[in-house]
Coordinates of all heavy atoms in Angstrom, one line a residue:
Q94 N 179.0 18.3 -41.1 CA 179.2 17.8 -42.5 C 178.0 18.0 -43.4 O 176.9 18.1 -42.8 CB 179.6 16.3 -42.4 CG 178.5 15.4 -41.9 CD 178.9 13.9 -42.0 OE1 179.2 13.5 -43.1 NE2 178.9 13.2 -40.9
P95 N 178.2 18.0 -44.7 CA 177.0 18.2 -45.5 C 176.1 16.9 -45.5 O 176.6 15.8 -45.3 CB 177.6 18.3 -46.9 CG 179.0 18.6 -46.7 CD 179.4 18.0 -45.4
T96 N 174.8 17.1 -45.6 CA 173.8 16.0 -45.6 C 173.1 16.2 -46.9 O 172.4 17.2 -47.2 CB 172.9 16.2 -44.4 OG1 173.6 16.0 -43.2 CG2 171.8 15.1 -44.5
Q97 N 173.1 15.1 -47.7 CA 172.4 15.1 -49.0 C 171.0 14.5 -48.7 O 171.0 13.3 -48.4 CB 173.1 14.4 -50.1 CG 174.5 14.9 -50.4 CD 174.5 16.4 -50.6 OE1 173.5 17.0 -51.1 NE2 175.6 17.1 -50.3
S98 N 170.0 15.2 -48.8 CA 168.6 14.7 -48.6 C 167.6 15.4 -49.4 O 167.4 16.6 -49.2 CB 168.3 14.9 -47.1 OG 166.9 14.7 -46.9
A99 N 167.0 14.7 -50.3 CA 165.9 15.3 -51.1 C 164.7 15.7 -50.2 O 164.1 16.7 -50.4 CB 165.4 14.3 -52.2
A100 N 164.5 14.9 -49.2 CA 163.4 15.2 -48.3 C 163.6 16.5 -47.5 O 162.7 17.4 -47.4 CB 163.2 14.1 -47.2
L101 N 164.8 16.8 -47.1 CA 165.1 18.0 -46.4 C 165.0 19.2 -47.3 O 164.5 20.3 -47.0 CB 166.5 18.0 -45.7 CG 166.6 17.2 -44.4 CD1 168.0 17.0 -44.0 CD2 165.8 18.0 -43.3
K102 N 165.5 19.0 -48.5 CA 165.5 20.1 -49.5 C 164.0 20.5 -49.9 O 163.7 21.6 -50.2 CB 166.3 19.8 -50.8 CG 167.8 20.0 -50.5 CD 168.6 19.9 -51.7 CE 170.0 20.4 -51.4 NZ 171.1 19.8 -52.1
A103 N 163.2 19.4 -50.0 CA 161.8 19.7 -50.3 C 161.0 20.3 -49.2 O 160.2 21.1 -49.4 CB 161.1 18.3 -50.7
A104 N 161.4 20.0 -47.9 CA 160.6 20.5 -46.8 C 161.0 21.9 -46.4 O 160.2 22.7 -45.9 CB 160.8 19.5 -45.6
I105 N 162.3 22.2 -46.5 CA 162.8 23.5 -45.9 C 163.2 24.4 -47.1 O 164.1 24.1 -47.9 CB 164.1 23.2 -45.0 CG1 163.8 22.1 -44.0 CG2 164.6 24.5 -44.4 CD1 162.7 22.5 -43.0
P106 N 162.6 25.6 -47.2 CA 162.9 26.6 -48.2 C 164.4 26.9 -48.3 O 165.0 26.9 -47.2 CB 162.1 27.8 -47.9 CG 161.0 27.3 -47.0 CD 161.5 26.1 -46.2
A107 N 164.9 27.2 -49.5 CA 166.3 27.4 -49.7 C 166.9 28.5 -48.8 O 168.1 28.4 -48.3 CB 166.6 27.7 -51.1
H108 N 166.1 29.5 -48.5 CA 166.7 30.6 -47.7 C 166.8 30.3 -46.2 O 167.4 31.1 -45.5 CB 165.9 32.0 -47.9 CG 164.6 32.0 -47.3 ND1 163.5 31.2 -47.8 CD2 164.1 32.7 -46.3 CE1 162.5 31.5 -47.1 NE2 162.8 32.4 -46.1
L109 N 166.3 29.2 -45.8 CA 166.3 28.8 -44.4 C 167.3 27.7 -44.1 O 167.2 27.0 -43.1 CB 164.9 28.4 -43.9 CG 163.8 29.5 -44.1 CD1 162.5 28.9 -43.6 CD2 164.2 30.7 -43.3
R110 N 168.2 27.4 -45.1 CA 169.2 26.3 -44.9 C 170.5 26.7 -45.5 O 170.6 27.6 -46.3 CB 168.7 25.0 -45.4 CG 168.2 25.0 -46.8 CD 167.6 23.6 -47.2 NE 166.8 23.7 -48.4 CZ 167.2 23.7 -49.7 NH1 168.4 23.7 -50.0 NH2 166.3 23.7 -50.6
D111 N 171.6 26.0 -45.0 CA 172.9 26.3 -45.5 C 173.0 26.0 -47.0 O 172.7 24.8 -47.4 CB 173.9 25.4 -44.7 CG 175.3 25.6 -45.2 OD1 175.7 26.6 -45.7 OD2 176.1 24.6 -44.9
P112 N 173.5 26.9 -47.8 CA 173.7 26.6 -49.2 C 174.7 25.4 -49.4 O 174.7 24.7 -50.4 CB 174.4 27.9 -49.8 CG 174.0 29.0 -48.8 CD 173.9 28.3 -47.5
G113 N 175.5 25.1 -48.4 CA 176.5 24.0 -48.4 C 175.9 22.7 -47.8 O 176.6 21.8 -47.6
D114 N 174.6 22.8 -47.4 CA 173.9 21.6 -46.9 C 174.4 21.1 -45.5 O 174.1 20.0 -45.1 CB 173.9 20.4 -47.9 CG 173.2 20.8 -49.2 OD1 172.2 21.5 -49.2 OD2 173.8 20.4 -50.2
Q115 N 175.1 22.0 -44.8 CA 175.6 21.5 -43.5 C 174.6 21.7 -42.4 O 174.8 21.1 -41.3 CB 177.0 22.2 -43.2 CG 178.0 21.9 -44.2 CD 179.4 22.0 -43.6 OE1 179.7 21.6 -42.5 NE2 180.3 22.6 -44.4
W116 N 173.6 22.6 -42.5 CA 172.6 22.7 -41.5 C 171.3 23.2 -42.2 O 171.3 23.7 -43.3 CB 173.0 23.7 -40.4 CG 173.6 25.0 -40.9 CD1 174.9 25.3 -41.0 CD2 172.9 26.2 -41.3 NE1 175.1 26.6 -41.5 CE2 173.8 27.1 -41.7 CE3 171.5 26.5 -41.4 CZ2 173.5 28.4 -42.1 CZ3 171.2 27.8 -41.8 CH2 172.2 28.7 -42.2
F117 N 170.2 22.9 -41.4 CA 168.9 23.1 -42.0 C 168.0 23.8 -40.9 O 168.0 23.4 -39.7 CB 168.2 21.8 -42.3 CG 169.0 21.0 -43.4 CD1 170.1 20.2 -43.0 CD2 168.7 21.1 -44.7 CE1 170.9 19.6 -43.9 CE2 169.5 20.5 -45.7 CZ 170.6 19.7 -45.3
G118 N 167.4 24.9 -41.3 CA 166.4 25.6 -40.3 C 165.3 24.6 -40.1 O 164.8 23.9 -41.0
L119 N 164.8 24.6 -38.8 CA 163.7 23.7 -38.4 C 162.5 24.5 -37.9 O 161.4 24.1 -37.9 CB 164.2 22.7 -37.4 CG 165.2 21.6 -38.0 CD1 165.7 20.8 -36.9 CD2 164.5 20.8 -39.1
S120 N 162.8 25.7 -37.4 CA 161.7 26.6 -37.0 C 162.2 28.1 -37.3 O 163.4 28.3 -37.4 CB 161.4 26.5 -35.5 OG 162.4 27.0 -34.7
V121 N 161.2 28.9 -37.5 CA 161.5 30.3 -38.0 C 161.0 31.2 -36.8 O 160.0 31.1 -36.3 CB 160.7 30.6 -39.2 CG1 160.7 32.1 -39.6 CG2 161.2 29.8 -40.4
R122 N 161.9 32.2 -36.5 CA 161.6 33.3 -35.6 C 161.6 34.6 -36.4 O 162.6 34.8 -37.2 CB 162.5 33.3 -34.4 CG 164.0 33.2 -34.6 CD 164.5 31.8 -34.4 NE 164.2 31.2 -33.2 CZ 164.8 31.4 -32.0 NH1 165.8 32.2 -32.0 NH2 164.5 30.8 -30.9
A123 N 160.6 35.4 -36.3 CA 160.5 36.6 -37.0 C 160.9 37.8 -36.1 O 160.4 37.8 -35.0 CB 159.1 36.9 -37.5

Side-chain angles (χ1 to χ4, degrees):
Q94 63 170 305
T96 295
Q97 301 311 329
S98 162
L101 280 169
K102 282 194 167 144
I105 307 299
H108 70 292
L109 302 177
R110 50 182 161 85
D111 175 26
D114 302 320
Q115 298 207 44
W116 48 263
F117 300 83
L119 294 171
S120 67
V121 170
R122 46 264 308 278

